Amino acid sequence: MQDNATEVTAAGIARLAGVGRAAVSNWRRRHTDFPRPVGGTETSPAFALAEVEGWLRRHSKLAEVPLREHVWQWLAGHPAGPVTALTHAGCVLLLIHDRSPVWLEVSSGTDERLAALLPAALDQVLTTRLGGGPDGSRANPPGSVNTGPVNTPTAPQLLPSAPLFRAVAELAAELGARHTFEFLLGRHLDANPRQYTLTPADLAGLMAALAGTARTVLDPACGTGALLRSAGGNGGASGNGNGGATARRLYAQDSSPELAALTALRLALHTRAPLHAAAGDALRADAHPELRADAVLCHPPFNERNWGHDELAYDPRWEYGFPARTESELAWVQHALARLREGGTAVLLMPPAAASRRSGRRIRADLLRRGALRAVVALPVGAAPPYNIPLHLWVLRRPQRASAQPEVLLADAGRFAGEGRGGPDWQGVRETVLDAWHAFDRTGRLDERPGLARSVPVIELLDDDVDLAPARRLPPPAAADGAGRLADVRERLAETLRLTAGLTPPPVDPARPAAGRRPLTTVGELARAGALVMRTGGNGGHTRLPVLTDHDVLAGTAPSGTLPESDEEAVLTEAGDVVVPVLGGGAVARVIDDATAGAALGRNLVLLRPDPELLDAWFLAGFLRGTANNRQASSYASTATRLDVRRLQLPRLLPAEQRRYGARFRALDEFERTLRQAGRLGEQLLRGMYDGLTDGTVAPD
């Protein structure tokens, strides 16, 4: 790849230099030799990466950037587009992963030699892993370069990217081929959040566990492959662990050819199970019409009107009724059932409206009568996008005989919703849902678990509405338990209010006027002098790590987030670190304590790790919270206020004086945390009293 063909945006330049975007704008205005834009738009220009790196080196502004950052910048600014570059890089990584000696052979010598030899090597590995029939033989005619959703690139297509491939291989030697692709894919997904609907890893693991042991698994709307990754094992999502053998054959399809290709490569790097991937709309152009899988896992697109209603009226898949134009989800349900063997299990993520819309009541009724629908599980708010809606899981089974099952499991895991934006208590969700499902699946019924689950006779549901929403059918929690919890909350609130009164700051005395303006320094200067280390978070990490989000810092709550699915090493917090949010315009800084230490650093956060011999953490955090300090260090160039942490100021004081300020700031922090706790307990008590009075579990006198 010609270096000057790769473009980089102002945000990319800021990453390379380790500064904020405002600094890049200042450089463009102040330095006449700053590189001219070579693309983009007037408001979002793009620059030649090689020219920018040269300018940064000449002006001693190029930060020590990891290889992964350079690779990402090359890929993101590739002249053929980041998706094409990522797909080609994924092909190379699969070759390195499966046949590293072949890669070493073809990569020796010139870029021209690499480009000439690489297509044949890629064609062999892609055919074996992605383009074979049931026995692994080639599914395409000899000489064809089509291997499922991934087309083998030609030598002219590969030549401009040869330096990128060598850099990717170097990164793979450091991280491993699988982790390298996860890092690059995670960055791409994170940079384009509106283009992709992701299935969180914990939810994918729960769905795979509900499906149970399966030799063949299909996902007809595979997206980024999270569900098949959980089912396929060998590096799957953290939530796998379904207690059975991993799938031996995977089938995938997605309507986006680009996403189908990326997902096929991702799955091939994560599992040795034979993979059959295809591009195309599974409802209109089913790539696996003869398949009868053991399990179908699916996160279908929601609320689609143009799903094929007009052209699919006589399709044989509609065994339970022809879906209305507004019931695309029920079309996906019947597609999943049509691709199951008898006794096979399907688990679909569904919008809650699909359980109660009148337009779908006849299909829901037939699913119940014939025993196909086995369970409806209400998930907590925040389980998956859209995060403000409590989505449902439908568990279906293709009936093995004509007689219907007499009962259906209804479960509600809504009580496990988390306080922060990071999502629910997945351990509680998983234990509750799987315990109820396994008990129900063994016997066909489940005793009432108040507020959580029960099995309902089908006849009770076959009314005019056929409403399957679990919350409308479950008994409320035990009254004594609810009243006892309210008494406990009230006692805790009273104790917290007493503590708050004792922590209220005493009356203040005015400070003596300073003889002159005290000398100031900035966070950037302290970082250059080695008094502290700066790190930014949120680029990836292991999904099992608790993640401290910007919302957690603002609200003073425990780590509640997740990072994008990536095996990139996360930034872990340590006791004494100071964490600062960079978005939102609030003057906030948090000192990490022992309870929070070890959490991964989330997006839009900057971590400052002071040298305790030179800088007191509480002194640092306190001065970073000054309103005027934040105002002068903030940028208002866009709709969101962004803080340039390097520009935050604090006075130059001796350690003893720092500790005096630090002790006062620490006392204020304790007072603030107690006030917040009192507010949360007060809201909990109010909510419990209203609920208890309205549902009859609390007497009015």
Side-chain angles (χ1 to χ4, degrees):
M1 176 176 57
Q2 300 300 319
D3 284 348
N4 59 9
T6 301
E7 299 176 1
V8 63
T9 63
I13 297 173
R15 280 183 180 273
L16 290 172
V19 299
R21 294 182 63 175
V24 178
S25 299
N26 288 335
W27 294 343
R28 293 185 62 197
R29 288 194 299 268
R30 292 169 48 196
H31 296 275
T32 58
D33 63 336
F34 194 88
R36 301 297 180 192
V38 297
T41 64
E42 185 175 347
T43 56
S44 181
F47 306 84
L49 178 59
E51 294 179 7
V52 167
E53 287 186 338
W55 187 90
L56 292 173
R57 285 193 183 93
R58 290 195 302 274
H59 290 264
S60 301
K61 298 182 184 296
L62 185 63
E64 189 64 34
V65 181
L67 174 62
R68 66 181 68 185
E69 187 62 41
H70 277 293
V71 171
W72 168 248
Q73 292 297 344
W74 288 347
L75 188 146
H78 195 283
V83 174
T84 299
L86 181 56
T87 303
H88 291 176
C91 293
V92 170
L93 287 168
L94 184 59
L95 176 64
I96 294 171
H97 182 269
D98 282 14
R99 305 181 181 187
S100 56
V102 176
W103 162 255
L104 293 174
E105 167 60 26
V106 301
S107 62
S108 62
T110 65
D111 289 351
E112 289 75 12
R113 181 179 183 273
L114 170 63
L117 297 179
L118 196 52
L122 293 180
D123 193 50
Q124 291 180 2
V125 71
L126 292 175
T127 297
T128 302
R129 299 299 305 280
L130 304 179
D135 59 353
S137 61
R138 189 180 183 87
N140 302 299
S144 168
V145 294
N146 186 297
T147 50
V150 184
N151 294 330
T152 306
T154 63
Q157 292 173 324
L158 294 172
L159 180 58
S161 302
L164 170 62
F165 298 152
R166 297 187 192 278
V168 165
E170 185 179 350
L171 186 58
E174 176 184 327
L175 303 178
R178 177 189 303 164
H179 295 181
T180 298
F181 189 73
E182 281 297 308
F183 162 69
L184 296 174
L185 178 62
R187 275 288 185 91
H188 175 68
L189 297 176
D190 204 32
N192 301 275
R194 296 184 179 181
Q195 293 184 23
Y196 307 100
T197 300
L198 306 182
T199 306
D202 290 298
L203 175 58
L206 174 61
M207 293 173 68
L210 285 168
T213 302
R215 295 169 61 90
T216 56
V217 182
L218 165 69
D219 186 347
C222 62
T224 59
L227 293 172
L228 289 177
R229 187 181 173 202
S230 284
N234 296 338
S238 64
N240 195 13
N242 55 17
T246 56
R248 298 184 182 178
R249 194 174 297 276
L250 304 177
Y251 294 83
Q253 185 169 354
D254 196 86
S255 59
S256 167
E258 294 177 343
L259 191 54
L262 293 175
T263 298
L265 291 167
R266 183 188 197 192
L267 293 172
L269 284 164
H270 274 84
T271 177
R272 298 300 302 183
L275 173 64
H276 304 262
D281 182 351
L283 293 183
R284 287 189 175 91
D286 185 11
H288 311 291
E290 305 301 322
L291 177 65
R292 297 297 178 265
D294 296 314
V296 175
L297 303 174
C298 187
H299 178 175
F302 295 162
N303 303 319
E304 284 206 343
R305 297 296 183 94
N306 187 27
W307 58 267
H309 177 272
D310 294 337
E311 60 262 43
L312 297 175
Y314 301 102
D315 195 289
R317 288 173 292 183
W318 315 141
E319 295 182 45
Y320 302 87
F322 181 43
R325 190 182 302 275
T326 57
E327 295 289 350
S328 62
E329 296 85 9
L330 293 182
W332 285 102
V333 164
Q334 295 191 73
H335 173 79
L337 285 168
R339 294 296 158 263
L340 284 174
R341 64 165 175 81
E342 288 189 357
T345 302
V347 184
L348 283 82
L349 185 66
M350 302 284 279
S356 56
R357 280 191 297 245
R358 288 189 62 82
S359 55
R361 65 189 186 278
R362 292 185 178 178
I363 294 177
R364 293 196 298 271
D366 209 29
L367 290 169
L368 291 171
R369 290 191 192 97
R370 298 172 60 180
L373 182 60
R374 305 302 301 124
V376 177
V377 178
L379 296 170
V381 171
Y387 289 106
N388 60 331
I389 297 175
L391 301 175
H392 289 178
L393 289 178
W394 285 24
V395 183
L396 304 109
R397 186 161 287 159
R398 187 165 182 83
Q400 292 179 286
R401 53 186 181 273
S403 59
Q405 297 283 353
E407 298 193 6
V408 173
L409 174 67
L410 299 181
D412 189 346
R415 67 168 58 179
F416 298 103
E419 292 185 5
R421 292 182 302 179
D425 172 10
W426 278 111
Q427 182 176 354
V429 173
R430 184 179 177 89
E431 291 176 355
T432 299
V433 172
L434 291 181
D435 183 58
W437 167 248
H438 291 152
F440 171 78
D441 197 33
R442 284 193 300 269
T443 63
R445 65 178 309 276
L446 183 74
D447 293 334
E448 287 188 357
R449 300 181 180 184
L452 289 176
R454 67 174 288 215
S455 60
V456 181
V458 167
I459 193 66
E460 285 188 23
L461 300 171
L462 294 177
D463 54 18
D464 289 341
D465 295 323
V466 196
D467 192 335
L468 305 179
R472 297 192 177 113
R473 305 283 179 173
L474 294 181
D481 182 45
R485 284 202 306 270
L486 287 179
D488 180 62
V489 170
R490 188 181 187 283
E491 184 177 338
R492 289 167 58 201
L493 175 60
E495 177 60 30
T496 304
L497 289 174
R498 287 193 293 270
L499 183 60
T500 304
L503 291 173
T504 302
V508 296
D509 296 325
R512 298 191 188 96
R517 185 180 179 184
R518 56 188 175 186
L520 299 175
T521 186
T522 66
V523 169
E525 290 173 350
L526 291 170
R528 287 192 290 272
L532 58 82
V533 175
M534 287 186 62
R535 300 289 300 275
T536 58
N539 293 331
H542 301 287
T543 54
R544 284 185 175 176
L545 287 174
V547 177
L548 186 70
T549 69
D550 55 345
H551 182 270
D552 299 330
V553 176
L554 294 168
T557 53
S560 65
T562 57
L563 287 170
E565 287 188 44
S566 170
D567 291 304
E568 179 184 4
E569 184 178 355
V571 177
L572 302 183
T573 58
E574 297 179 3
D577 290 345
V578 177
V579 176
V580 184
V582 297
L583 292 180
V588 178
R590 176 170 173 177
V591 178
I592 300 299
D593 56 16
D594 291 333
T596 309
L601 192 67
R603 301 172 184 165
N604 302 319
L605 291 176
V606 171
L607 180 146
L608 306 176
R609 182 164 294 159
D611 183 340
E613 298 294 327
L614 304 174
L615 202 56
D616 182 80
W618 287 102
F619 162 77
L620 172 64
F623 273 95
L624 297 189
R625 292 192 60 171
T627 302
N629 197 7
N630 274 259
R631 188 179 298 119
Q632 63 84 27
S634 296
S635 169
Y636 306 94
S638 63
T639 55
T641 303
R642 187 173 186 88
L643 181 68
D644 185 351
V645 177
R646 291 176 177 271
R647 293 173 56 187
L648 288 170
Q649 299 174 336
L650 60 158
R652 298 179 182 270
L653 298 178
L654 294 174
E657 190 69 6
Q658 289 183 30
R659 287 191 288 272
R660 282 187 59 219
Y661 275 98
R664 191 63 181 271
F665 287 137
R666 188 169 192 165
L668 289 175
D669 179 80
E670 186 176 2
F671 176 61
E672 180 182 32
R673 286 188 286 109
T674 308
L675 276 177
R676 284 175 169 166
Q677 176 69 3
R680 284 193 286 265
L681 289 171
E683 291 178 0
Q684 188 176 346
L685 180 61
L686 278 171
R687 185 169 60 249
M689 288 297 296
Y690 274 111
D691 290 345
L693 286 167
T694 55
D695 64 22
T697 59
V698 173
D701 50 1

